[in-house]
Amino acid sequence: MAEVKFLNIVKQFEDENKGKVFAVKDASFTVKDKEFLVFVGPSGCGKTTSLRMVAGLERQTSGDIYIGDRLVNKVHPKDRDIAMVFQDYALYPHMTIRENLGFGLKNLKTPKAEIEAKIKEAASILSIENLLDRKPRELSGGQRQRIAVGRAIVRNPSVFLFDEPLSNLDAKLRVQMRVELSELHKRLEATIIYVTHDQVEAMTLGQRIVVMNAGEIQQIATPEELYEKPNNLFVAGFIGSPPMNFVKARLEGNQLHTASYTFTLPDDKVKMYKKYDGQEVIFGIRPEDILSTKLMPSVPDKNVYQVNLKVVEHLGAELLIYFDIGDDQLTGRVNADAKLKQLEPTELYFNLNKMQLFDPKTQERIY
Ligand code: ATP
């Protein structure tokens, strides 16, 4: 069993200028055995520190960390049965790939034949057999990344830790490596904890995702749950690209009044939001839930408005459209077949079946 458990983990740093900084504030969660769990959040939110605490490279200020059934607070990194893949790969430049792969095992005094067998197996899994006699400088970024993963695989750890391993690769290679890492997880059946600031990477790789902000866990959920039921404004704005639109509004019965438009709520939403009747709320609608009526079989009788498109960006299959309602700038993502043009008025349908409301004081989602 390779569960990883955080119990009331706090990590404080002493910063010369800012004094005490909370990198992680009271985090408790369990990474399940064989789970692919991703930490995501903006720079400085505490995700790398969390990973380094699992590895034992950083010691928590308080709280307990378990790997499997073992309390590892005082266990040395090399005895934690983990392997970490770093952003810069950390390969030894003067060694061949074969030597790089075998280095950790050699240090553990593993018999030579066993080291060779493990290198061969990892090389086959990662299709790097033909690179074993080269030096790291003779490899491309993607190949180096594979070697860094290979070095973790040969150690056969219970838990793999990845710290932004794809951030030095170009966009195309990142997508390819993402697929490879997903396949590798299935094949290795290992527990993986993966850190990234890229929400697309998090959504595509993670079975569950931990969203962090300013040292605090905002939500732990599957990609679908994060998208459909974000806990608060932060998660709603962080997950999804382009981000969800937010507009100040007031709820009156089945009507949602913004400064410029009045939207009509579907019946189930009226019931759902009843306790906020008459109150100020924040209305959230994702760009993909704003549709061009040009592509609809019939124009709905509610929540259709004329807008002027300030900017239209072509993404190939889709268009990103930017327009104002009152003082608020909104973004829509519509099918390119709508052939919408910049500076032209166009009719849009706001699909309120997919809307969210948030409490402006607590910033929590209303449900
Ligand atoms: P990034 O994506 O930029 O790596 P992160 O989410 O991984 O960010 P951490 O590196 O975990 O964030 O840092 C969390 C907070 O702790 C930040 O405010 C950072 O400045 C602070 N911090 C991290 N390491 C140290 C350190 N050794 N000394 C002082 N403060 C630190």
Side-chain angles (χ1 to χ4, degrees):
M1 277 288 279
E3 256 185 23
V4 176
K5 205 181 287 174
F6 265 41
L7 279 180
N8 301 109
I9 291 295
V10 175
K11 177 65 187 176
Q12 243 181 6
F13 285 110
E14 204 61 56
D15 187 283
E16 276 179 20
N17 305 314
K18 295 186 221 153
K20 279 191 172 34
V21 176
F22 277 99
V24 178
K25 300 175 193 163
D26 198 11
S28 294
F29 59 88
T30 302
V31 189
K32 298 177 205 157
D33 185 36
K34 301 189 176 61
E35 183 173 35
F36 199 136
L37 183 100
V38 179
F39 272 86
V40 70
S43 183
C45 71
K47 49 197 190 298
T48 298
T49 303
S50 300
L51 197 73
R52 289 171 61 83
M53 287 191 287
V54 179
L57 300 173
E58 208 74 73
R59 178 81 190 270
Q60 65 269 27
T61 309
S62 62
D64 292 328
I65 298 177
Y66 289 85
I67 299 179
D69 295 331
R70 197 157 63 121
L71 180 66
V72 295
N73 293 358
K74 291 182 182 155
V75 177
H76 193 271
K78 74 173 174 29
D79 299 322
R80 290 195 179 199
D81 197 16
I82 50 109
M84 189 148 169
V85 178
F86 296 92
Q87 181 174 358
D88 60 3
Y89 318 140
L91 302 177
Y92 298 108
H94 58 287
M95 291 184 194
T96 64
I97 299 312
R98 188 189 306 279
E99 287 163 343
N100 263 286
L101 290 174
F103 184 71
L105 295 177
K106 204 170 153 193
N107 271 355
L108 293 171
K109 309 237 179 324
T110 311
K112 223 171 167 185
E114 195 180 319
I115 296 180
E116 263 312 307
K118 288 205 162 145
I119 291 175
K120 208 169 157 202
E121 191 192 350
S124 148
I125 291 175
L126 296 165
S127 308
I128 51 170
E129 294 103 326
N130 58 336
L131 305 177
L132 291 177
D133 296 317
R134 294 202 201 165
K135 297 269 176 69
R137 67 167 180 278
E138 296 166 315
L139 304 186
S140 69
Q143 289 169 330
R144 271 181 229 168
Q145 209 278 332
R146 251 182 232 136
I147 308 305
V149 175
R151 208 171 42 179
I153 291 177
V154 294
R155 306 218 359 235
N156 194 25
S158 310
V159 183
F160 285 82
L161 306 175
F162 286 90
D163 189 6
E164 306 238 9
L166 306 186
S167 54
N168 288 334
L169 304 178
D170 66 47
K172 199 171 161 198
L173 200 51
R174 259 203 318 263
V175 174
Q176 187 189 328
M177 290 306 296
R178 232 161 53 196
V179 177
E180 286 190 19
L181 284 174
S182 273
E183 286 172 353
L184 189 68
H185 173 245
K186 286 195 198 96
R187 181 157 182 178
L188 295 174
E189 297 196 327
T191 307
I192 295 183
I193 310 179
Y194 187 105
V195 160
T196 178
H197 62 272
D198 179 346
Q199 57 99 14
V200 176
E201 214 168 286
M203 293 290 274
T204 49
L205 281 172
Q207 289 172 320
R208 280 191 311 154
I209 299 171
V210 180
V211 183
M212 287 190 82
N213 188 32
E216 284 184 281
I217 294 178
Q218 305 291 314
Q219 190 165 1
I220 306 179
T222 63
E224 295 77 13
E225 280 175 309
L226 285 183
Y227 182 81
E228 305 279 346
K229 296 175 178 169
N231 273 355
N232 54 36
L233 276 175
F234 179 82
V235 177
F238 193 78
I239 299 292
S241 174
M244 186 183 277
N245 298 290
F246 298 117
V247 182
K248 278 189 195 160
R250 168 182 282 276
L251 196 61
E252 303 278 357
N254 71 344
Q255 311 255 281
L256 189 65
H257 302 287
T258 71
S260 322
Y261 293 161
T262 294
F263 294 101
T264 305
L265 262 56
D267 292 343
D268 60 324
K269 302 277 182 200
V270 179
K271 261 192 226 140
M272 185 167 155
Y273 298 136
K274 206 165 176 189
K275 61 179 185 287
Y276 278 78
D277 196 10
Q279 294 190 38
E280 302 291 327
V281 290
I282 293 173
F283 166 51
I285 184 159
R286 292 202 183 272
E288 47 275 36
D289 298 323
I290 299 173
L291 308 169
S292 165
T293 57
K294 272 187 174 179
L295 296 180
M296 301 181 79
S298 60
V299 178
D301 57 358
K302 292 186 188 98
N303 301 327
V304 172
Y305 290 99
Q306 282 273 352
V307 304
N308 278 310
L309 298 180
K310 290 199 304 189
V311 176
V312 176
E313 286 175 353
H314 287 261
L315 300 183
E318 290 174 323
L319 305 173
L320 291 185
I321 55 172
Y322 300 88
F323 56 95
D324 292 335
I325 62 171
D327 290 338
D328 299 293
Q329 179 177 292
L330 272 74
T331 307
R333 201 169 91 191
V334 302
N335 193 306
D337 292 343
K339 298 195 185 340
L340 302 183
K341 298 270 179 326
Q342 206 150 305
L343 305 178
E344 276 185 12
T346 191
E347 197 176 57
L348 298 175
Y349 167 63
F350 295 74
N351 181 5
L352 266 63
N353 293 306
K354 298 285 190 74
M355 68 180 277
Q356 309 276 3
L357 286 187
F358 299 88
D359 184 313
K361 288 198 196 84
T362 64
Q363 315 232 316
E364 306 271 317
R365 182 168 64 92
I366 300 169
Y367 58 92

